PDB file of all heavy atoms in Angstrom:
ATOM      1  N   PHE Y  59      -5.510 -54.068  41.039  1.00 98.00           N
ATOM      2  CA  PHE Y  59      -5.985 -53.035  40.110  1.00 98.00           C
ATOM      3  C   PHE Y  59      -6.521 -51.810  40.839  1.00 98.00           C
ATOM      4  O   PHE Y  59      -6.491 -50.710  40.309  1.00 98.00           O
ATOM      5  CB  PHE Y  59      -7.109 -53.567  39.199  1.00 98.00           C
ATOM      6  CG  PHE Y  59      -6.727 -54.737  38.329  1.00 98.00           C
ATOM      7  CD1 PHE Y  59      -7.686 -55.402  37.577  1.00 98.00           C
ATOM      8  CD2 PHE Y  59      -5.420 -55.192  38.255  1.00 98.00           C
ATOM      9  CE1 PHE Y  59      -7.352 -56.473  36.770  1.00 98.00           C
ATOM     10  CE2 PHE Y  59      -5.070 -56.270  37.453  1.00 98.00           C
ATOM     11  CZ  PHE Y  59      -6.048 -56.918  36.710  1.00 98.00           C
ATOM     12  N   HIS Y  79     -10.696 -53.378  30.598  1.00 97.00           N
ATOM     13  CA  HIS Y  79     -10.709 -52.224  31.501  1.00 97.00           C
ATOM     14  C   HIS Y  79     -12.109 -51.662  31.755  1.00 97.00           C
ATOM     15  O   HIS Y  79     -12.246 -50.511  32.159  1.00 97.00           O
ATOM     16  CB  HIS Y  79      -9.773 -51.101  30.998  1.00 97.00           C
ATOM     17  CG  HIS Y  79      -8.363 -51.563  30.766  1.00 97.00           C
ATOM     18  ND1 HIS Y  79      -7.484 -50.897  29.950  1.00 97.00           N
ATOM     19  CD2 HIS Y  79      -7.690 -52.648  31.235  1.00 97.00           C
ATOM     20  CE1 HIS Y  79      -6.325 -51.551  29.921  1.00 97.00           C
ATOM     21  NE2 HIS Y  79      -6.427 -52.608  30.700  1.00 97.00           N
ATOM     22  N   ASP Y  97     -11.198 -59.661  34.611  1.00 98.00           N
ATOM     23  CA  ASP Y  97      -9.747 -59.592  34.772  1.00 98.00           C
ATOM     24  C   ASP Y  97      -9.487 -59.184  36.212  1.00 98.00           C
ATOM     25  O   ASP Y  97     -10.150 -58.277  36.732  1.00 98.00           O
ATOM     26  CB  ASP Y  97      -9.195 -58.555  33.792  1.00 98.00           C
ATOM     27  CG  ASP Y  97      -7.687 -58.602  33.634  1.00 98.00           C
ATOM     28  OD1 ASP Y  97      -7.025 -59.389  34.348  1.00 98.00           O
ATOM     29  OD2 ASP Y  97      -7.176 -57.850  32.787  1.00 98.00           O
ATOM     30  N   CYS Y  98      -8.536 -59.859  36.847  1.00 98.00           N
ATOM     31  CA  CYS Y  98      -8.220 -59.540  38.246  1.00 98.00           C
ATOM     32  C   CYS Y  98      -6.744 -59.769  38.498  1.00 98.00           C
ATOM     33  O   CYS Y  98      -6.124 -60.625  37.853  1.00 98.00           O
ATOM     34  CB  CYS Y  98      -9.059 -60.412  39.192  1.00 98.00           C
ATOM     35  SG  CYS Y  98      -8.964 -59.938  40.945  1.00 98.00           S
ATOM     36  N   SER Y 107       0.094 -61.185  40.634  1.00 98.00           N
ATOM     37  CA  SER Y 107      -0.433 -62.177  39.697  1.00 98.00           C
ATOM     38  C   SER Y 107      -1.551 -61.501  38.917  1.00 98.00           C
ATOM     39  O   SER Y 107      -2.150 -60.536  39.395  1.00 98.00           O
ATOM     40  CB  SER Y 107      -0.960 -63.409  40.429  1.00 98.00           C
ATOM     41  OG  SER Y 107      -1.943 -63.027  41.383  1.00 98.00           O
ATOM     42  N   ASP Y 108      -1.838 -62.007  37.733  1.00 98.00           N
ATOM     43  CA  ASP Y 108      -2.777 -61.326  36.824  1.00 98.00           C
ATOM     44  C   ASP Y 108      -3.396 -62.394  35.928  1.00 98.00           C
ATOM     45  O   ASP Y 108      -2.655 -63.186  35.313  1.00 98.00           O
ATOM     46  CB  ASP Y 108      -1.963 -60.309  35.998  1.00 98.00           C
ATOM     47  CG  ASP Y 108      -2.796 -59.356  35.160  1.00 98.00           C
ATOM     48  OD1 ASP Y 108      -4.037 -59.396  35.238  1.00 98.00           O
ATOM     49  OD2 ASP Y 108      -2.180 -58.556  34.421  1.00 98.00           O
ATOM     50  N   ALA Y 109      -4.726 -62.454  35.895  1.00 99.00           N
ATOM     51  CA  ALA Y 109      -5.384 -63.466  35.055  1.00 99.00           C
ATOM     52  C   ALA Y 109      -6.776 -62.988  34.666  1.00 99.00           C
ATOM     53  O   ALA Y 109      -7.440 -62.287  35.430  1.00 99.00           O
ATOM     54  CB  ALA Y 109      -5.496 -64.804  35.789  1.00 99.00           C
ATOM     55  N   ALA Y 110      -7.210 -63.394  33.489  1.00 99.00           N
ATOM     56  CA  ALA Y 110      -8.530 -63.015  32.983  1.00 99.00           C
ATOM     57  C   ALA Y 110      -9.211 -64.216  32.335  1.00 99.00           C
ATOM     58  O   ALA Y 110      -8.550 -65.109  31.800  1.00 99.00           O
ATOM     59  CB  ALA Y 110      -8.406 -61.879  31.970  1.00 99.00           C
ATOM     60  N   VAL Y 169      -1.532 -55.013  25.107  1.00 98.00           N
ATOM     61  CA  VAL Y 169      -0.633 -56.162  25.009  1.00 98.00           C
ATOM     62  C   VAL Y 169      -0.409 -56.765  26.387  1.00 98.00           C
ATOM     63  O   VAL Y 169      -0.727 -56.149  27.413  1.00 98.00           O
ATOM     64  CB  VAL Y 169       0.725 -55.729  24.401  1.00 98.00           C
ATOM     65  CG1 VAL Y 169       0.542 -55.246  22.962  1.00 98.00           C
ATOM     66  CG2 VAL Y 169       1.397 -54.646  25.241  1.00 98.00           C
ATOM     67  N   GLY Y 170       0.147 -57.956  26.423  1.00 98.00           N
ATOM     68  CA  GLY Y 170       0.598 -58.549  27.669  1.00 98.00           C
ATOM     69  C   GLY Y 170       1.884 -57.870  28.134  1.00 98.00           C
ATOM     70  O   GLY Y 170       2.353 -56.905  27.529  1.00 98.00           O
ATOM     71  N   HIS Y 171       2.459 -58.422  29.209  1.00 98.00           N
ATOM     72  CA  HIS Y 171       3.525 -57.678  29.890  1.00 98.00           C
ATOM     73  C   HIS Y 171       4.319 -58.580  30.808  1.00 98.00           C
ATOM     74  O   HIS Y 171       3.800 -59.589  31.310  1.00 98.00           O
ATOM     75  CB  HIS Y 171       2.905 -56.553  30.712  1.00 98.00           C
ATOM     76  CG  HIS Y 171       1.735 -56.981  31.559  1.00 98.00           C
ATOM     77  ND1 HIS Y 171       1.865 -57.343  32.876  1.00 98.00           N
ATOM     78  CD2 HIS Y 171       0.420 -57.178  31.252  1.00 98.00           C
ATOM     79  CE1 HIS Y 171       0.682 -57.702  33.344  1.00 98.00           C
ATOM     80  NE2 HIS Y 171      -0.221 -57.630  32.379  1.00 98.00           N
ATOM     81  N   GLY Y 172       5.548 -58.169  31.081  1.00 98.00           N
ATOM     82  CA  GLY Y 172       6.278 -58.757  32.186  1.00 98.00           C
ATOM     83  C   GLY Y 172       5.579 -58.400  33.483  1.00 98.00           C
ATOM     84  O   GLY Y 172       4.849 -57.418  33.571  1.00 98.00           O
ATOM     85  N   ILE Y 173       5.791 -59.249  34.509  1.00 98.00           N
ATOM     86  CA  ILE Y 173       5.113 -59.038  35.792  1.00 98.00           C
ATOM     87  C   ILE Y 173       6.002 -59.595  36.887  1.00 98.00           C
ATOM     88  O   ILE Y 173       6.727 -60.570  36.668  1.00 98.00           O
ATOM     89  CB  ILE Y 173       3.709 -59.687  35.768  1.00 98.00           C
ATOM     90  CG1 ILE Y 173       2.971 -59.492  37.101  1.00 98.00           C
ATOM     91  CG2 ILE Y 173       3.774 -61.165  35.386  1.00 98.00           C
ATOM     92  CD1 ILE Y 173       1.494 -59.885  37.043  1.00 98.00           C
ATOM     93  N   MET Y 177       3.048 -54.679  38.544  1.00 97.00           N
ATOM     94  CA  MET Y 177       2.086 -55.357  37.668  1.00 97.00           C
ATOM     95  C   MET Y 177       2.556 -55.328  36.221  1.00 97.00           C
ATOM     96  O   MET Y 177       2.404 -56.305  35.500  1.00 97.00           O
ATOM     97  CB  MET Y 177       0.704 -54.717  37.780  1.00 97.00           C
ATOM     98  CG  MET Y 177      -0.345 -55.511  37.030  1.00 97.00           C
ATOM     99  SD  MET Y 177      -1.970 -55.242  37.677  1.00 97.00           S
ATOM    100  CE  MET Y 177      -2.190 -53.513  37.335  1.00 97.00           C
ATOM    101  N   HIS Y 178       3.118 -54.204  35.811  1.00 97.00           N
ATOM    102  CA  HIS Y 178       3.559 -54.080  34.428  1.00 97.00           C
ATOM    103  C   HIS Y 178       5.063 -53.841  34.396  1.00 97.00           C
ATOM    104  O   HIS Y 178       5.538 -52.791  34.818  1.00 97.00           O
ATOM    105  CB  HIS Y 178       2.826 -52.939  33.718  1.00 97.00           C
ATOM    106  CG  HIS Y 178       1.365 -53.205  33.550  1.00 97.00           C
ATOM    107  ND1 HIS Y 178       0.386 -52.409  34.087  1.00 97.00           N
ATOM    108  CD2 HIS Y 178       0.716 -54.205  32.916  1.00 97.00           C
ATOM    109  CE1 HIS Y 178      -0.812 -52.900  33.782  1.00 97.00           C
ATOM    110  NE2 HIS Y 178      -0.637 -53.994  33.087  1.00 97.00           N
ATOM    111  N   LEU Y 201       5.799 -63.689  32.480  1.00 98.00           N
ATOM    112  CA  LEU Y 201       5.021 -62.916  31.505  1.00 98.00           C
ATOM    113  C   LEU Y 201       3.531 -63.100  31.755  1.00 98.00           C
ATOM    114  O   LEU Y 201       3.068 -64.215  32.003  1.00 98.00           O
ATOM    115  CB  LEU Y 201       5.336 -63.397  30.083  1.00 98.00           C
ATOM    116  CG  LEU Y 201       6.813 -63.407  29.671  1.00 98.00           C
ATOM    117  CD1 LEU Y 201       6.956 -64.035  28.293  1.00 98.00           C
ATOM    118  CD2 LEU Y 201       7.401 -62.004  29.697  1.00 98.00           C
ATOM    119  N   ALA Y 202       2.787 -62.008  31.665  1.00 99.00           N
ATOM    120  CA  ALA Y 202       1.320 -62.091  31.600  1.00 99.00           C
ATOM    121  C   ALA Y 202       0.971 -62.136  30.108  1.00 99.00           C
ATOM    122  O   ALA Y 202       1.192 -61.164  29.383  1.00 99.00           O
ATOM    123  CB  ALA Y 202       0.679 -60.891  32.273  1.00 99.00           C
ATOM    124  N   ILE Y 203       0.492 -63.301  29.686  1.00 99.00           N
ATOM    125  CA  ILE Y 203       0.135 -63.509  28.284  1.00 99.00           C
ATOM    126  C   ILE Y 203      -1.376 -63.372  28.194  1.00 99.00           C
ATOM    127  O   ILE Y 203      -2.105 -64.047  28.941  1.00 99.00           O
ATOM    128  CB  ILE Y 203       0.595 -64.903  27.812  1.00 99.00           C
ATOM    129  CG1 ILE Y 203       2.107 -65.051  28.019  1.00 99.00           C
ATOM    130  CG2 ILE Y 203       0.221 -65.129  26.348  1.00 99.00           C
ATOM    131  CD1 ILE Y 203       2.642 -66.453  27.706  1.00 99.00           C
ATOM    132  N   GLU Y 204      -1.861 -62.485  27.321  1.00 98.00           N
ATOM    133  CA  GLU Y 204      -3.293 -62.154  27.380  1.00 98.00           C
ATOM    134  C   GLU Y 204      -3.870 -61.771  26.024  1.00 98.00           C
ATOM    135  O   GLU Y 204      -4.031 -60.589  25.724  1.00 98.00           O
ATOM    136  CB  GLU Y 204      -3.569 -61.061  28.409  1.00 98.00           C
ATOM    137  CG  GLU Y 204      -2.673 -59.842  28.387  1.00 98.00           C
ATOM    138  CD  GLU Y 204      -3.074 -58.844  29.480  1.00 98.00           C
ATOM    139  OE1 GLU Y 204      -4.268 -58.605  29.673  1.00 98.00           O
ATOM    140  OE2 GLU Y 204      -2.174 -58.312  30.133  1.00 98.00           O
ATOM    141  N   MET Y 206      -6.342 -60.615  23.396  1.00 98.00           N
ATOM    142  CA  MET Y 206      -7.584 -59.832  23.341  1.00 98.00           C
ATOM    143  C   MET Y 206      -8.027 -59.887  21.883  1.00 98.00           C
ATOM    144  O   MET Y 206      -7.349 -59.341  21.009  1.00 98.00           O
ATOM    145  CB  MET Y 206      -7.299 -58.391  23.788  1.00 98.00           C
ATOM    146  CG  MET Y 206      -7.008 -58.283  25.273  1.00 98.00           C
ATOM    147  SD  MET Y 206      -6.042 -56.826  25.711  1.00 98.00           S
ATOM    148  CE  MET Y 206      -4.381 -57.515  25.716  1.00 98.00           C
ATOM    149  N   HIS Y 233     -11.174 -62.150  26.008  1.00 98.00           N
ATOM    150  CA  HIS Y 233      -9.895 -61.884  26.671  1.00 98.00           C
ATOM    151  C   HIS Y 233      -9.628 -63.015  27.655  1.00 98.00           C
ATOM    152  O   HIS Y 233     -10.452 -63.267  28.547  1.00 98.00           O
ATOM    153  CB  HIS Y 233     -10.009 -60.544  27.413  1.00 98.00           C
ATOM    154  CG  HIS Y 233      -8.804 -60.132  28.188  1.00 98.00           C
ATOM    155  ND1 HIS Y 233      -8.907 -59.361  29.319  1.00 98.00           N
ATOM    156  CD2 HIS Y 233      -7.480 -60.376  28.012  1.00 98.00           C
ATOM    157  CE1 HIS Y 233      -7.685 -59.133  29.798  1.00 98.00           C
ATOM    158  NE2 HIS Y 233      -6.806 -59.734  29.027  1.00 98.00           N
ATOM    159  N   GLU Y 235      -6.263 -64.630  30.037  1.00 99.00           N
ATOM    160  CA  GLU Y 235      -4.907 -64.275  30.490  1.00 99.00           C
ATOM    161  C   GLU Y 235      -4.421 -65.244  31.557  1.00 99.00           C
ATOM    162  O   GLU Y 235      -5.189 -65.624  32.456  1.00 99.00           O
ATOM    163  CB  GLU Y 235      -4.928 -62.856  31.084  1.00 99.00           C
ATOM    164  CG  GLU Y 235      -3.595 -62.405  31.679  1.00 99.00           C
ATOM    165  CD  GLU Y 235      -3.652 -60.991  32.228  1.00 99.00           C
ATOM    166  OE1 GLU Y 235      -4.743 -60.557  32.669  1.00 99.00           O
ATOM    167  OE2 GLU Y 235      -2.606 -60.326  32.225  1.00 99.00           O
ATOM    168  N   HIS Y 236      -3.147 -65.591  31.457  1.00 99.00           N
ATOM    169  CA  HIS Y 236      -2.449 -66.283  32.529  1.00 99.00           C
ATOM    170  C   HIS Y 236      -1.115 -65.594  32.787  1.00 99.00           C
ATOM    171  O   HIS Y 236      -0.527 -64.993  31.883  1.00 99.00           O
ATOM    172  CB  HIS Y 236      -2.143 -67.734  32.152  1.00 99.00           C
ATOM    173  CG  HIS Y 236      -3.251 -68.703  32.450  1.00 99.00           C
ATOM    174  ND1 HIS Y 236      -3.820 -68.834  33.698  1.00 99.00           N
ATOM    175  CD2 HIS Y 236      -3.868 -69.611  31.660  1.00 99.00           C
ATOM    176  CE1 HIS Y 236      -4.751 -69.790  33.661  1.00 99.00           C
ATOM    177  NE2 HIS Y 236      -4.805 -70.264  32.438  1.00 99.00           N
ATOM    178  N   THR Y 237      -0.647 -65.717  34.022  1.00 99.00           N
ATOM    179  CA  THR Y 237       0.715 -65.327  34.389  1.00 99.00           C
ATOM    180  C   THR Y 237       1.591 -66.580  34.295  1.00 99.00           C
ATOM    181  O   THR Y 237       1.278 -67.596  34.920  1.00 99.00           O
ATOM    182  CB  THR Y 237       0.734 -64.744  35.817  1.00 99.00           C
ATOM    183  OG1 THR Y 237      -0.105 -63.585  35.859  1.00 99.00           O
ATOM    184  CG2 THR Y 237       2.146 -64.378  36.247  1.00 99.00           C
TER     185      THR Y 237
HETATM  186 MG1   MG B   2      -2.260 -58.245  32.337  1.00 70.94          MG
END
Side-chain angles (χ1 to χ4, degrees):
F59 300 173
H79 305 159
D97 193 356
C98 189
S107 56
D108 189 4
V169 296
H171 48 95
I173 180 169
M177 188 155 64
H178 294 120
L201 306 175
I203 303 174
E204 47 180 317
M206 289 156 265
H233 178 210
E235 176 179 29
H236 274 305
T237 299

